[in-house]
Amino acid sequence: MRAGVIGWPIDHSLSPRLHGYWLDQYGIDGTYEPIAIAPEDLDARMASLSGEGFRGVNVTVPHKETVMASLDQIDDLARRIGAVNTIVFDESGKSSGTNTDGYGFIQNILQSQPDMDFKSGPAVVLGAGGAARAICVALMDAGVPEIRLLNRTLERAQGLASDISGPITIVDWSKRNRALGEANLVVNTTTLGMVGKPALELDLSDLADTACVTDIVYAPLETPLLKAAALRGNPVVGGIGMLLHQARPGFEAWFGHAPEVTLELRAHVLAGVGGKE
Ligand code: ATR
């Protein structure tokens, strides 16, 4: 049994380490391979993978949107998000695409905050890139009553809101501190706070101390945002778990075993980025 991850470049991907751990752990005779595909070769390679024995693939940068044109089927969720991150080939080679990023986002929060009630208040989402798209759709489906969406480039937030139509209020980036009032959840989907990038400047004074703060950045594991939130007593959820949880549905579909996200898995994947607990 073969599966893998397609991207360009692909060397940085942590997915082979993640799925490789599960294959070992569950004694499954299979492989999960990094597959470098240049953009101009995408359509032709997609047509040949099933014949090469692949049961499916994950999709990473820069193919998440463009791969949709090469698929036989795309589910509603991936259509709403406008991107595919998981593809399954059936026995006849027909491909179907879905997107598990939002699932990974929600499951990551629930694993560390099992009592989290998404319906109980507004969520503040910072950023309007691809990750924000999957997260906004997932939050809407989880019943969040209002999403306050903020992005440095206002037009991009407007584009996101009009594409996914839901209870989204666009707030100007300069008003982000005040947008935190009554929020139940704060999500950083920007690259701010990542190693080598400036910190996200956000004054948490107006945030209820029960609100959950989460960051999709996982290098460093504790971003300045998470550190500041933890210091004032807010529940915090780091980003590495989203990567781990988004991988579960694909692994189960290809290899027939529902995998678990454990502390040991987390440590194993982090060792691949030179990270420490
Ligand atoms: P992806 O699609 O993978 O989520 P992206 O398109 O690079 O990644 O999006 C990165 C996000 O970080 C965007 O929301 C971006 O804001 P812009 O749309 O204005 O570019 C945000 N971002 C990156 N650097 C930023 C900065 N210095 N200040 C504020 N936002 C920033």
Side-chain angles (χ1 to χ4, degrees), residues 160-207:
L160 197 167
S162 74
D163 285 353
I164 68 175
S165 73
I168 300 181
T169 311
I170 295 174
V171 181
D172 198 83
W173 182 249
S174 63
K175 309 246 165 65
R176 59 194 180 281
N177 297 336
R178 269 181 284 153
L180 302 177
E182 314 103 47
N184 189 30
L185 176 68
V186 180
V187 189
N188 176 42
T189 77
T190 74
T191 48
L192 295 170
M194 198 180 271
V195 174
K197 305 269 177 176
L200 168 65
E201 283 178 28
L202 190 64
D203 177 349
L204 301 178
S205 307
D206 284 352
L207 186 67

Side-chain angles (χ1 to χ4, degrees), residues 58-59 64 77 81 83-86 98-107 130-131 133-135 138 242-243 245-247 249:
N58 284 125
V59 186
K64 283 186 170 191
L77 183 62
I81 295 169
V84 159
N85 79 335
T86 304
T98 186
N99 191 311
T100 66
D101 285 332
Y103 170 84
F105 171 77
I106 299 283
Q107 293 300 313
R133 236 162 234 268
I135 287 169
M242 177 173 167
L243 172 77
H245 283 280
Q246 63 75 31

